[in-house]
């Protein structure tokens, strides 16, 4: 298959993968090839982004080439989030590095229940600044449990507390998803996160995991949270009926 | 069973079609066999990135490219024209109606599979093109589609871009279901750029400029964390999303 990408202004096709091109050509050649296009701002940056997104993971990606690309203007990032859109949003922001930096911060902290720390503040800041795109990058970490369980559990507690209506649904999804984790520490963090969020939409999934939960203390916590959410649901329902 | 669309379309060609679904939080399938089960043969490429939770399969279906991308929080099917190097013009799947029916048939097969997941939100996306001579002709054509909302000065304008979402209530029997009808209208200029890698003698070859009206559609259900769609609902909703896109491509930006 020919490797092809296109943007609004340009189509690019290559008969060999980009990896081979990079191996065979040194930095000078790459610079000579790429820079004139970027300087003229002909959409080549977007073209390369499309190519990398399609053909390779960002981890393998081509730092040699990326160093020539202009950095995304971070101040404009939030403006382009459309909530009616389901299209994948592409960006130059290196979310992987941001996520790693948050995890790094957590390693030296002794967590105290309910006490804000450098880790929770960073998490709060990035979620509010970058919204759902950032949370999408967090999700695989919880899925693969690639960081320490205690750190992830702490993150889940704070994710439930963040005051951000724009990211509410995505955070709710993540917390509900982590109820099904194989790690009891994560299930505990998710339960506490959902307690803070106080959204009765979580009732269905809490009921489902309660049926399977085998750790007694965790089961009791889940039932307490379920009780509170059902009360909240009844309260909302009563308010609606009163208005009618 | 695939349904026939009920609108006659006005010469739009389709560059890309997309199904996007946001699965329920209890979704656990990691390496599904869906591509094989709906196409009937193995894909050409498979990418698995466990640390990112990404699973992707790519292959040809009826000479066009079909991509399945599975992540923990979204599933995408993309159907798009397979670019041939000798083609200077914008490559498409052909007429919108035919391409959409082909894609709808594929999705209907997928909806019928046993391990079809439950979704909280689904979407139909499309990028449509209508070739024109130049920007002026493109703006003239767009002004017909946008006549009730935007007045375009076709002779003295450039860089025109119009984006709008017009939500509607769903006509399916699903209570409280509302649908976003997000559209983006513009005139696209394309240039085919050939790059020949040959050690020190890399060469670029530029094709001629070509122009087209471009309509990007993103028709999707408005998220509601208490709403879940199983097979039957997805079938009904997807049919409605596709028909809403037909309506827009024929009648333009309407409420």
């Amino acid at each position: 298959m020919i490797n092809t990408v296109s943007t609004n202004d340009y189509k690019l096709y290559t008969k060999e993968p980009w990896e081979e091109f990079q191996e065979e050509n040194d930095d000078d050649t790459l610079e000579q090839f790429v820079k004139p296009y970027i300087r003229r701002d002909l959409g080549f940056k977007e073209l390369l982004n499309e190519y990398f997104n399609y053909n390779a993971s960002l981890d393998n990606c081509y730092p040699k080439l990326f160093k020539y690309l202009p950095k995304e203007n971070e101040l404009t990032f939030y403006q382009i989030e459309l909530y009616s859109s389901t299209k994948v949003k592409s960006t130059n922001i290196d979310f992987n590095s941001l996520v790693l930096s948050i995890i790094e911060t957590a390693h030296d902290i002794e967590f105290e229940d309910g006490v804000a720390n450098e880790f929770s503040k960073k998490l709060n800041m990035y979620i509010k600044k970058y919204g759902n795109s950032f949370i999408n990058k967090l999700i695989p970490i919880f899925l693969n449990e690639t960081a320490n369980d205690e750190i992830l559990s702490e993150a889940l507690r704070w994710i439930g507390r963040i005051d951000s209506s724009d990211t509410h649904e995505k955070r709710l999804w993540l917390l509900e998803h982590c109820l099904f984790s194989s790690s009891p520490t994560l299930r505990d963090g998710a339960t506490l996160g959902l307690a803070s969020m106080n959204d009765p939409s979580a009732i269905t999934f809490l009921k489902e995991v309660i049926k399977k939960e085998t750790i007694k203390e965790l089961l009791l916590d889940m039932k307490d949270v379920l009780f509170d959410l059902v009360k909240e649901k009844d309260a909302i329902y009563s308010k609606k009926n009163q208005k009618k | 069973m695939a349904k026939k669309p009920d609108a006659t379309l006005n010469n739009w060609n389709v560059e890309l079609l997309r199904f996007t679904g946001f699965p329920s939080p209890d979704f656990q399938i990691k390496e599904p066999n869906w591509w094989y089960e709906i196409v009937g043969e193995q894909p050409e490429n498979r990418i698995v990135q466990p640390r990112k939770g990404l699973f992707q399969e790519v292959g040809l279906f009826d000479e066009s490219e079909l991509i399945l991308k599975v992540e923990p929080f979204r599933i995408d099917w993309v159907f798009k024209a397979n670019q041939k190097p000798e083609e200077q013009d914008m490559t498409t799947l052909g007429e919108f109606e035919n391409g959409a029916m082909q894609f709808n048939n594929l999705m209907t097969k997928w909806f019928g599979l046993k391990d079809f997941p439950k979704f909280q939100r689904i979407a139909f996306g499309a990028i449509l093109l209508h070739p024109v001579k130049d920007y002026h002709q493109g703006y003239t054509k767009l002004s017909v589609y946008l006549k009730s909302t935007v007045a375009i000065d076709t002779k003295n304008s450039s860089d025109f871009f119009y984006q709008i979402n017009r939500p509607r209530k769903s006509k399916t029997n699903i209570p409280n279901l509302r649908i976003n009808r997000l559209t983006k209208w513009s005139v696209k200029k394309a240039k085919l750029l050939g790059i020949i890698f040959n050690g020190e003698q890399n060469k670029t070859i530029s094709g001629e400029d070509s122009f087209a009206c471009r309509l990007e559609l993103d028709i999707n259900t408005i998220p509601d964390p208490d709403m879940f769609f199983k097979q039957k609902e997805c079938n009904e909703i997807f049919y409605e999303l596709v028909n809403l896109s037909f309506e827009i491509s024929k009648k333009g930006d309407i409420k």
Side-chain angles (χ1 to χ4, degrees):
Chain A
M1 220 186 301
I2 304 286
N3 296 294
T4 58
V5 288
S6 63
T7 62
N8 279 356
D9 294 322
Y10 282 94
K11 289 179 188 177
L12 170 70
Y13 66 88
T14 62
K15 287 187 180 179
E16 60 197 57
W18 188 264
E19 292 93 325
E20 287 178 26
F21 171 71
Q22 196 172 26
E23 276 169 21
E24 289 164 14
N25 292 277
D26 59 20
D27 272 1
D28 286 341
T29 312
L30 282 171
E31 182 169 352
Q32 190 187 10
F33 172 64
V34 164
K35 260 194 168 177
Y37 290 94
I38 291 171
R39 230 185 275 126
R40 284 152 68 194
D41 193 23
L42 293 173
F44 203 71
K45 178 191 80 168
E46 285 76 24
L47 192 80
L48 291 175
N49 273 336
E50 285 287 323
Y51 188 90
F52 293 143
N53 281 336
Y54 176 60
N55 284 283
S57 75
L58 283 177
D59 287 344
N60 289 339
C61 216
Y62 309 108
K64 279 187 199 173
L65 194 63
F66 261 96
K67 82 176 182 191
Y68 303 124
L69 300 179
K71 299 289 178 213
E72 182 79 34
N73 181 348
E74 293 190 7
L75 290 176
T76 65
F77 180 79
Y78 222 125
Q79 294 165 20
I80 63 174
E81 283 243 323
L82 283 180
Y83 295 97
S84 55
S85 168
T86 60
K87 204 175 157 184
V88 173
K89 296 159 189 63
S90 63
T91 174
N92 278 344
I93 294 176
D94 185 2
F95 285 126
N96 291 331
S97 296
L98 294 180
V99 169
L100 286 172
S101 77
I102 293 182
I103 303 292
E104 278 297 316
T105 310
H107 280 131
D108 299 325
I109 298 175
E110 274 203 38
F111 300 128
E112 290 177 60
D113 198 22
V115 177
N117 48 61
E118 202 52 43
F119 169 68
S120 65
K121 286 176 190 168
K122 254 189 170 171
L123 187 65
N124 187 57
M125 179 182 76
Y126 287 144
I127 287 177
K128 282 188 171 174
K129 186 173 183 181
Y130 298 113
N132 291 327
S133 298
F134 180 73
I135 300 175
N136 287 343
K137 289 294 175 187
L138 282 179
I139 288 171
I141 293 184
F142 290 94
L143 185 80
N144 297 308
E145 296 162 21
T146 45
N148 177 291
D149 271 10
E150 293 295 329
I151 294 173
L152 294 180
S153 183
E154 176 77 3
L156 288 172
R157 290 163 205 231
W158 287 100
I159 282 169
R161 286 186 185 134
I162 291 172
D163 179 19
S164 161
S165 55
D166 291 340
T167 62
H168 181 94
E169 275 156 25
K170 187 67 75 159
R171 287 184 292 117
L172 177 67
W173 189 96
L174 175 56
L175 291 169
E176 289 169 342
H177 187 72
C178 288
L179 285 176
F180 296 91
S181 171
S182 56
S183 158
T185 313
L186 256 66
R187 295 199 300 274
D188 182 51
T191 304
L192 294 172
L194 287 170
S196 299
M197 226 180 195
N198 201 28
D199 187 333
S201 304
I203 288 171
T204 311
F205 297 104
L206 263 173
K207 282 183 177 173
E208 210 178 305
V209 295
I210 281 171
K211 287 181 201 168
K212 301 183 237 183
E213 184 55 61
T214 53
I215 298 173
K216 196 177 169 187
E217 273 174 21
L218 186 44
L219 181 61
L220 287 173
D221 285 343
M222 284 180 177
K223 285 182 174 175
D224 282 343
V225 174
L226 178 63
F227 179 81
D228 289 340
L229 291 182
V230 170
K231 241 172 64 177
E232 176 68 16
K233 185 177 178 182
D234 292 342
I236 294 168
Y237 189 70
S238 304
K239 267 187 203 163
K240 275 188 186 166
N241 280 343
Q242 275 174 15
K243 278 183 185 170
K244 286 177 189 173
Chain B
M1 171 95 115
K3 295 185 185 183
K4 219 173 142 46
D6 51 8
T8 309
L9 304 166
N10 293 349
N11 301 322
W12 287 103
N13 290 330
V14 59
E15 187 179 66
L16 177 149
L17 296 165
R18 167 174 67 90
F19 169 97
T20 297
F22 297 87
S24 169
D26 56 357
F27 172 59
Q28 298 287 335
I29 295 178
K30 295 197 176 170
E31 294 186 28
N33 205 27
W34 297 328
W35 208 100
Y36 173 75
E37 287 183 57
I38 69 170
V39 174
E41 54 187 47
Q42 294 290 350
E44 291 197 31
N45 284 310
R46 181 177 290 127
I47 298 170
V48 183
Q49 295 177 332
R51 291 188 78 173
K52 291 186 171 181
L54 170 66
F55 173 84
Q56 184 167 299
E57 288 182 322
V58 183
L60 288 180
F61 174 74
D62 203 16
E63 296 184 358
S64 300
E65 199 168 83
L66 182 64
I67 302 165
L68 166 64
K69 191 172 175 186
V70 180
E71 294 174 274
F73 50 88
R74 75 180 280 151
I75 295 169
D76 290 276
W77 285 99
V78 174
F79 189 45
K80 61 181 188 173
N82 188 30
Q83 175 72 54
K84 294 191 174 81
E86 60 273 16
E87 284 174 3
Q88 297 274 328
D89 295 329
M90 298 178 210
T91 307
T92 68
L93 293 166
E95 284 186 13
F96 181 27
E97 178 176 330
N98 294 336
M101 275 313 301
Q102 210 180 5
F103 187 60
N104 188 52
N105 292 346
L106 278 174
M107 292 300 99
T108 304
K109 273 193 196 172
W110 179 49
F111 297 154
L113 297 181
K114 264 191 200 166
D115 56 351
F116 182 77
K118 213 168 41 178
F119 287 104
Q120 283 186 308
R121 187 183 187 193
I122 67 170
F124 172 64
I127 297 176
L128 309 184
L129 300 173
H130 181 89
V132 291
K133 199 174 63 181
D134 52 27
Y135 277 124
H136 172 64
Q137 192 180 66
Y139 290 155
T140 306
K141 188 164 174 72
L142 282 188
S143 61
V144 173
Y145 286 108
L146 304 175
K147 63 178 182 278
S148 56
T149 44
V150 178
I152 308 174
D153 178 355
T154 61
K155 284 188 184 157
N156 300 309
S157 303
S158 70
D159 302 306
F160 174 79
F161 178 76
Y162 176 68
Q163 174 177 272
I164 190 160
N165 176 33
R166 295 196 183 275
R168 264 201 203 163
K169 204 171 164 233
S170 168
K171 289 186 178 165
T172 63
N173 293 327
I174 300 163
N176 304 319
L177 179 64
R178 289 176 57 78
I179 294 180
N180 285 318
R181 295 155 60 232
L182 177 66
T183 57
K184 299 177 191 177
W185 305 79
S186 61
V187 174
K188 159 181 172 158
K189 183 177 91 167
K191 183 195 282 284
L192 186 63
L193 185 67
I195 301 166
I196 301 167
F197 301 136
N198 195 14
E200 289 177 4
Q201 294 173 345
N202 296 323
K203 207 161 92 172
T204 57
I205 307 163
S206 287
E208 286 180 13
D209 291 344
S210 51
F211 296 85
C213 291
R214 186 177 189 271
L215 167 57
E216 189 174 328
L217 296 150
D218 187 343
I219 317 294
N220 59 82
T221 60
I222 293 178
D224 180 336
D226 294 324
M227 229 179 247
F228 299 97
F229 311 126
K230 293 184 195 170
Q231 283 156 301
K232 187 169 169 253
E233 286 103 353
C234 280
N235 220 344
E236 279 177 35
I237 296 167
F238 193 65
Y239 173 68
E240 183 176 25
L241 301 183
V242 173
N243 265 314
L244 286 170
S245 70
F246 287 163
E247 184 189 35
I248 293 167
S249 68
K250 184 192 170 197
K251 295 182 181 173
D253 177 31
I254 53 167
K255 284 182 188 167

